Amino acid sequence: MVDIPEGYGPDDELDPDAADPLYLQLAAVLISRIGNGVYPLGRAVPGVDRLMQEFGIARGTARKTLVLLAEMGYVRTVVGKGSFVIERESAGAPDGHGPARADASEDRES
């Protein structure tokens, strides 16, 4: 899994000259907004077109960011509806960013 860069706040702008790729910068900003309640649980985050407009990024960058947030367990995408903030199960996740994986010892107890 990728490492989300630290230090981005909910109102930060993206820096095309920064070392971090734009999609990771955008992911950090959106994660900050989710954490601060700008996008509360069950509500939609901005879609591709809105992200393109707000941040001046390419469609592919916006899509890649939303896919990453879904893979990391921050949002669930519903085709034709959007991407919605979901409750994360991050306790025990090795990197603190992704969904927790079941401990292998639990599988052996069955």
Side-chain angles (χ1 to χ4, degrees):
M1 187 59 59
V2 297
D3 289 325
I4 300 298
E6 299 286 326
Y8 288 89
D11 298 322
D12 284 351
E13 294 182 11
L14 306 186
D15 180 1
D17 297 323
D20 297 314
L22 288 174
Y23 82 98
L24 291 179
Q25 293 179 49
L26 179 56
V29 170
L30 295 178
I31 289 168
S32 177
R33 289 180 181 182
I34 290 169
N36 288 340
V38 175
Y39 307 132
L41 190 65
R43 302 294 278 196
V45 297
V48 170
D49 290 336
R50 178 121 182 249
L51 291 173
M52 289 172 55
Q53 182 179 31
E54 180 178 351
F55 292 97
I57 57 174
R59 182 173 298 277
T61 302
R63 283 186 182 150
K64 189 171 186 175
T65 301
L66 292 175
V67 167
L68 177 62
L69 292 181
E71 288 174 352
M72 295 179 71
Y74 284 96
V75 300
R76 178 176 58 92
T77 300
V78 179
V79 177
K81 297 276 186 182
S83 297
F84 298 86
V85 177
I86 59 174
E87 190 169 347
R88 295 185 68 232
E89 297 177 16
S90 61
D95 63 1
H97 292 296
R101 293 176 13 153
D103 185 21
S105 63
E106 292 176 6
D107 294 335
R108 285 178 269 178
E109 292 176 8
S110 313

